[in-house]
Amino acid sequence: MDVPFRSALRDIGPPSWRDGAAAMRGLLQRHHWGLALLSLPVVASVVLPVGYLILRGLGAGEEAVEYLLSARTLTIVGNSLALAVAVAVAAAALGVPFAWLTTRTTLPFRRVWLVAGLLTMVIPSYLGAIAFVEVFGPVGALRDVLAPLGVHRLPSIYGFFGTWIVLTLYTFPYVALPVRAALLRIDPAQEEAARMLGMNRWRAFFRVTLPQLRPALAAGVLLSMLYTLSDFGVVMVLRYNAFTRAIYTTYNSTFDRERAALLALMLIALTAVLVWIERRAGRQVTTYRHQGQTARKSPPVPLGRWTIPGVILCAGLVLTGVGVPVLVLSGWAFNPNLTSPIPLELELLVAQSVGVSAFTAVFVAVSGTPIALLASRSASRISRLIVGASYFGNVLPGLVVGLALVYFAANYLPFIYQTIPLLVLGYGVRFLPYSVSATRSALSMISPRLNEAARTLGCSEIEATRRITFPLARAGVFAGMALVALSAMKELPTTLLLAPIGFKNLVTRLWTGYEAATFALVGWPGLLLLASSAVTLLILLWQED
Amino acid sequence: MFKSRVFVLILAALVMSVLPASAQEEGESLVVYSGRNETLIAPILAQFTEETGVAVQVVYGDTAAVANQILEEGANSPADVYIGQDAGALGALSKAGALAPLPSDVLERVPDVFKSQQGEWVGLSARARVLVYNPTEVEALGLELPQSILDLTKPEYAGLVGWAPANASFQSNVTAMRVLLGDDVTAKWLADMVANGAVSYGSSNTNLNRAVASGEVVLGITNHYYMHNLKKQDPALNLEQTVFPAGDPGSLVNVAGAGVLATSAKPGLAQRLILYLLGSNAQTYFTEQTSEYPLVDGIAVNPALIPLDSIVQPEIDLSDLDDLQTTLAMIEASGALDQ
């Protein structure tokens, strides 16, 4: 659900944190091992549950192999891969034109489309799926509109088709963003040279520009695949038997917990392969530019008669991705005829959502600081291992993190099992990297000269850090915390698995209402989650400025 | 820029705001693990708290999942009471030794056919397995309604039948079929249903009933009360129901029931909750609000329901439905969950 948009944004403003790191070096040299020790509990909370999952899976013994190779398992693998590839291809087909239109052309309201397009990235996709069923489903609004025209049955939104459409709508920004960043970096001189040598604009784009976009495109495509693999809400709502749905139904409706663990392990393996490919692709980014020059800004391409199709494409994406959930959820929220046998208790839900998210943000900021400091050192193998492990929780599907923690805590940590701290730990494992990378880039903005000046004026190393570095890094750190809090607030699968007894927040209430078709319980929680997504976007934009 | 001191203060306030909710409340309290949906059971639990002052904290989930969770937790389980939506999961827990015997003042309130032979769980309300159908579509397609659950695998119903194979009531029905017809016949029926294009609605009977009403599928096998509850919201719903005749395995009458956990530290309080759920207030709630059949004498049955004595049940003892594990493995192997 919340695959790292940090890493999608990575290309926009590559933090040159080396300078800041230099300022920390003296401090780190002395406290390196201390930092590593401080980081270990966080890393352990990722590694141990997953390790336990492996033990449980292996506990099935020889049956495990048989099960992993069974027709059912292979079908699930096939379903997941087919969906991931289809979504990635469609996301690229939409994301590249979207990026180009909003970056390099005279398209009207470019900024508006861009920002609204980014909004689809932060909206929880399960809201999109629920809203889509309401509009395009078998009893949906669209059928009512078309009924006078004699349309009785719409093609089913359930299964592959609907899942593919919805996931594409909510993942195309993962392609559009890196591609946009690459477009901004590319030197227009080459395209101009190609034009002068007689190519028309299209040929120049395909022969000169597109090849340079390839690394960014590859990164975006892999991100959208990762997102698809980890998505839980959309495949549940639209009933497509991808991994996460199969794991959840196996966990929920069989007594065979080893099988859920085995399926989860396969999903981890698949994810790991994709991450490995992504990391390799990320390393190959090269842009060709005349030595010693910065890129000129390209003059915008006049769209002419292509203006209207361009606007239709952008507006279509934005209106379906953002407009449909807003309309549907408002319809439920403001419909006085909808009733529910249980009260909505919106104030309580907001308090629980916000409170636990704030708790998570504090927890993550505190436990993430030693990792961020270690990351800026990045010299030893140990520290790279620790930083790598801390990122692992973020690429793992939330369902798998939840499952691993449930199994582990029920057996070994009964004192935090079914408590808010376990839920917070689950969120922490997933969203730690947002905070770590925000802290890292905040540190990078600080010139080492300031610390050196403080040192010459008689401050100790630690005092200089406390009085100079931390105050300057504060705004960035807080922004990272806010991102963590907002991500935790809308998280679905981990919440479903780890919510303690009697706990209810916006997400759990919305899901209960959706499952019981009691839409009075879905409207307001959904709208508030949409609003929190808008805040997420504002913070991301502020961070990147 | 953030004003850091204000920010920290706000943060502290927010964190504090969750703590009271998570802390144990003063006074008596019970932990209930419920396989019944919150919208069906929470109102009556709230009334219990209101009348007795005993706070009730509830874990909600699918019936099998919650039973499974109790087994996974073992001696660590915080649960005092388990409420399941079918006899099968209750029987499975009892068989695993997770339930404690109930006292006679609880047991004697419920007729023998609706409680455990070992006295470890009691039914709270009864529900009938029915066939729901969309009358418009049935007429348009010129369909004859099937006379047995076994007929649903016939080619004329291909692609028209919906079911909820992850739902505990369905699972119990499958266990009943295994008891009545044997494992081979049942496994073949499941496979034939999948091959005949039965459409899965996961664990949600609500979504199944809505789908039938919309014409997405034409027939559905489900519990009787979903139709009644949906029609309360929308009386014009295009949905009818009927019972398979003559003791068909598809016309099982099952119970939603409860038991006290063997590991509970508060068995007395837990039994008090179950007694309350068998009291006239709760029994009236079950028939009026959730459209089920009450199980204790002297409660007026909701007149919208098919009279219970007109349903010819198959010859089966609900206590024999405790082999849930085999049933679940069979359903999984059939591919029904993957549709």
Side-chain angles (χ1 to χ4, degrees), chain A residues 519-545:
Chain A
F519 296 107
L521 300 178
V522 180
W524 277 110
L527 278 184
L528 291 179
L529 290 171
L530 279 181
S532 77
S533 308
V535 177
T536 310
L537 182 65
L538 288 179
I539 293 172
L540 284 173
L541 291 174
W542 172 82
Q543 259 194 330
E544 298 308 326
D545 272 348

Side-chain angles (χ1 to χ4, degrees), chain A residues 56 67 72 138-139 143 152-153 239 241 252-255 257 259 341 352 355 411 417-418 502 509, chain B residues 11 14 18 33 38-39 57-59 62 65 68-69 71-73 137 200-201 214-216 328 332 338:
Chain A
R56 280 301 285 266
Y67 185 67
R72 177 184 189 226
V139 251
R143 192 187 74 154
H152 184 52
R153 246 169 220 263
R239 301 201 302 265
N241 208 45
N252 248 356
S253 46
T254 70
F255 272 81
R257 298 219 144 177
R259 294 194 164 186
Q352 297 272 55
N411 287 287
Y417 178 65
Q418 293 257 359
R509 187 54 113 219
Chain B
L11 216 56
L14 291 177
V18 253
Y33 277 30
E38 186 173 358
T39 56
Q57 292 187 300
V58 196
V59 173
D62 290 345
N68 215 350
Q69 193 176 342
L71 297 180
E72 174 90 19
E73 290 163 1
E137 293 287 331
S200 161
Y201 292 87
S214 75
E216 183 185 330
L328 293 176
E332 195 205 357
D338 299 327

